[in-house]
């Protein structure tokens, strides 16, 4: 087994059943009689207890996990966590028969959250996001991706990203940001997407990048948002700054967004209900992760399931996420997201658990840092009061987390 030594604060986790999510160890990477050694916030050993090197057998803290299961902490790789207001009124309209697109074309939808978001300061946006973040952390999440996209002008988009960065200073969490000014066209640019991209999206991206606010660039490729050609202009801007890209693609129709994303070597293409086999193959070839968002499928009462068989046939990597947003997925439970993915999209246990750990880390470009239990990675550990990993997906609205560890620090609930 591999390990590296770093003698700062140390802990040893014994009598623990490991779901390492290491692909080389089979489904879930299970090690029944496991041990995990931590030094200076990093995993230095994760493997069979019987193979634990003697120089790691003592530590400042030795924790008997009493046979509990341990996984990597969970990763929510697609959220709009920072936003103002809510869309309960639209939820009611949809109950009365209005469609998401009708509401959007009538000036509701994303644009209505833009008004609520732009009315708030950075501090107020942070205060509004913290309860949503805390709900995720309580379920064993340690990494969250947070998008802009409800500002739709340069200053407001930067304000959202500053709020996202602030969350990382207020909670034991890793935050990755995505610049999503290409989420919708503000009313003042209605019908003039090219001008919006030239006047706002690209200059705003340069400023956000210069301020260190951006980890990736995202967009909404859809008939009610931006075309593949328009997204290509945004992605060219990202490429010029050396930033990775991702894309909301094939959510309501097939415009070839996933193929476009793959052509830019995107980290991920997300939603994908209307993806076809060609798109799945292009993503697999490019290493672009398919991020499935069952919360939006469920909330919109979508009938077109994402093509899971085509993704499997193409060997496209699959992650899942909450897509936490006020309009189509007011969801702050990654455990429920796994249950929905299994029940609605028929993902397997392994696909669900890998989808919120290893593959979610891959979708954020941080698999070298977290997402599996193995030496050299951040000690992001989740201990669960379960008899079998299937209990993490099977239950609805129940949280079996026993303890979360982030960068080696034991987090009080
Ligand atoms: N697709 C979605 O489902 C969300 N954004 C996107 O591109 C919806 C965001 C909203 O309705 O507020
Ligand atoms: Fe989204």
């Amino acid at each position: 087994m591999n390990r590296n030594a770093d003698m700062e604060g140390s802990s040893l986790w014994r009598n623990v059943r490991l779901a390492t999510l290491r692909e080389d160890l089979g489904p879930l990477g299970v090690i029944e009689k496991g041990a995990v050694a931590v030094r200076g916030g990093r995993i230095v050993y994760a493997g069979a207890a019987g193979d634990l090197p003697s120089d790691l057998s003592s530590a400042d803290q030795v924790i008997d996990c009493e046979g509990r299961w341990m996984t990597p902490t969970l990763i929510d790789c697609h959220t709009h966590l920072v936003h103002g207001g809510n869309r309960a009124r639209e939820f009611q309209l949809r109950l009365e028969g209005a469609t998401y697109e009708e509401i959007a074309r009538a000036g509701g939808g994303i644009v209505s959250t833009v008004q609520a978001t732009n009315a708030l300061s950075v501090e107020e946006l942070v205060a509004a996001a913290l309860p949503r973040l805390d709900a995720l952390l309580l379920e064993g999440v340690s990494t969250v991706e947070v998008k802009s996209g409800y500002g739709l002008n340069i200053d407001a988009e930067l304000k959202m990203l500053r709020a996202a960065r602030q969350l990382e200073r207020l909670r034991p969490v890793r935050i990755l940001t995505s610049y999503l000014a290409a989420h919708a066209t503000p009313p003042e640019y209605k019908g003039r997407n090219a001008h919006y991209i030239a006047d706002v999206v690209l200059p705003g991206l340069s400023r956000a990048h210069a301020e260190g606010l951006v980890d990736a660039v995202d967009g909404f490729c859809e008939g009610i948002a931006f075309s593949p050609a328009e997204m290509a202009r945004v992605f060219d801007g990202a490429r010029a700054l050396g930033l990775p890209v991702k894309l909301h693609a094939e959510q309501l129709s097939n415009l070839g967004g996933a193929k476009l994303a793959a052509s830019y070597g995107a980290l991920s293409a997300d939603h994908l209900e209307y993806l076809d086999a060609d798109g799945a193959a292009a993503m697999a070839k490019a290493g672009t992760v398919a991020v499935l968002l069952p919360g939006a499928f469920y909330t919109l009462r979508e009938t077109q399931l994402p093509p899971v068989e085509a993704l499997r046939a193409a060997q496209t990597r699959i992650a899942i996420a909450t897509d936490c947003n006020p309009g189509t997925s007011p969801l702050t439970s990654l455990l429920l997201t796994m249950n929905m993915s299994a029940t609605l999209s028929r993902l397997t246990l392994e696909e669900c658990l890998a989808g919120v750990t290893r593959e979610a880390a891959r979708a954020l470009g941080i698999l070298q840092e977290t997402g599996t239990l193995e030496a050299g990675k951040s000690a992001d550990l989740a201990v669960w009061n379960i008899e079998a990993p299937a209990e993490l997906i099977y239950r609805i609205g129940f949280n079996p987390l026993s303890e979360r560890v982030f960068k080696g620090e034991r987090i009080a609930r």
Side-chain angles (χ1 to χ4, degrees):
M1 281 294 180
N2 54 359
R3 52 182 255 273
N4 58 43
D6 178 338
M7 297 311 288
E8 283 176 55
S10 61
S11 59
L12 176 61
W13 302 75
R14 307 205 70 136
N15 194 8
V16 62
R17 303 155 88 179
L18 303 182
T20 65
L21 277 299
R22 283 179 47 178
E23 285 187 288
D24 58 324
L25 297 181
L28 298 183
V30 170
I31 299 173
E32 280 288 347
K33 295 183 170 45
V36 173
V38 175
R39 292 285 186 278
R42 313 294 294 181
I43 298 173
V44 293
Y45 179 82
D51 297 335
L52 179 72
S54 56
D55 64 329
L56 297 178
S57 59
S58 62
D60 296 344
Q61 292 187 65
V62 179
I63 302 96
D64 178 349
C65 294
E66 299 171 331
R68 291 185 181 84
W69 280 88
M70 180 188 285
T71 69
T73 49
L74 308 188
I75 299 169
D76 196 350
C77 68
H78 182 134
T79 86
H80 305 254
L81 209 69
V82 169
H83 61 260
N86 68 65
R87 301 250 286 282
R89 171 75 185 117
E90 285 185 23
F91 180 76
Q92 196 177 350
L93 289 174
R94 286 212 300 276
L95 283 177
E96 293 158 6
T99 68
Y100 179 76
E101 282 168 291
E102 284 164 353
I103 292 168
R105 292 192 195 283
I110 293 171
V111 171
S112 69
T113 296
V114 169
Q115 285 151 7
T117 300
N118 288 349
L120 300 184
S121 65
V122 174
E123 293 73 22
E124 289 166 329
L125 284 173
V126 168
L130 280 174
R132 296 188 280 264
L133 178 60
D134 288 338
L136 291 172
L137 302 184
L138 274 176
E139 286 193 349
V141 172
S142 282
T143 301
V144 179
E145 183 260 11
V146 181
K147 304 174 189 294
S148 66
Y150 288 120
L152 307 190
N153 67 63
I154 293 175
D155 290 339
E157 287 291 315
L158 269 61
K159 178 177 71 172
M160 289 189 71
L161 294 169
R162 290 188 193 108
R165 285 281 193 250
Q166 179 73 347
L167 294 174
E168 197 170 51
R169 292 190 278 273
L170 295 170
R171 292 291 188 274
V173 66
R174 182 184 293 105
I175 298 285
L176 279 292
T177 61
S178 296
Y179 179 78
L180 180 60
H183 193 196
T185 311
E188 63 273 26
Y189 281 94
K190 195 171 177 62
R192 299 189 301 127
N193 282 6
H195 291 91
Y196 173 61
I197 290 170
D199 298 351
V200 176
V201 177
L202 292 174
L205 174 57
S206 297
R207 277 188 49 193
H209 175 63
E211 200 174 312
L213 294 172
V214 188
D215 297 311
V217 178
D218 193 351
F220 185 18
C221 187
E222 194 55 69
I224 56 172
F226 297 90
S227 69
E230 289 163 345
M231 282 314 313
R233 286 194 55 211
V234 178
F235 286 175
D236 287 341
R239 182 178 275 174
L241 295 170
L243 289 169
V245 298
K246 46 182 60 245
L247 188 64
H248 290 65
E250 276 73 279
Q251 179 180 5
L252 306 172
S253 65
N254 185 345
L255 298 184
K259 266 191 189 172
L260 173 87
S263 73
Y264 278 84
L267 290 171
S268 71
D270 303 36
H271 283 288
L272 302 177
E273 280 83 353
Y274 290 83
L275 178 74
D276 58 23
D278 281 356
M283 291 173 66
K285 189 170 178 214
T288 299
V289 177
V291 179
L292 306 184
L293 304 169
F297 173 92
Y298 168 82
T299 304
L300 295 177
R301 300 177 69 234
E302 177 57 71
T303 54
Q304 171 79 24
L305 280 167
V308 170
E309 287 309 327
L311 290 168
R312 287 175 180 144
Q315 296 185 316
T316 312
R317 299 285 183 164
I318 299 172
I320 57 179
T322 62
D323 190 18
C324 178
N325 76 75
T328 65
S329 191
L331 172 62
T332 50
S333 168
L334 212 40
L335 294 175
L336 178 54
T337 301
M338 287 199 285
N339 176 271
M340 286 175 158
S341 300
T343 300
L344 298 174
S345 302
R346 314 314 286 164
L347 290 194
T348 65
L349 165 65
E350 289 76 15
E351 286 168 334
C352 287
L353 210 43
V356 298
T357 54
R358 186 185 69 236
E359 297 313 321
R362 198 190 307 271
L364 297 177
I366 57 171
L367 183 55
Q368 74 290 345
E369 181 64 10
T370 190
T372 60
L373 298 180
E374 54 190 305
K377 294 198 177 183
S378 179
D380 302 343
L381 318 173
V383 182
W384 304 96
N385 292 311
I386 56 174
E387 285 306 312
E391 291 177 52
L392 294 176
I393 289 94
Y394 147 75
R395 289 202 175 91
I396 302 172
F398 180 80
N399 179 8
L401 182 73
S402 173
E403 179 165 7
R404 176 170 77 97
V405 178
F406 178 56
K407 296 184 179 177
E409 180 192 351
R410 301 178 71 179
I411 308 299
R413 290 189 65 167

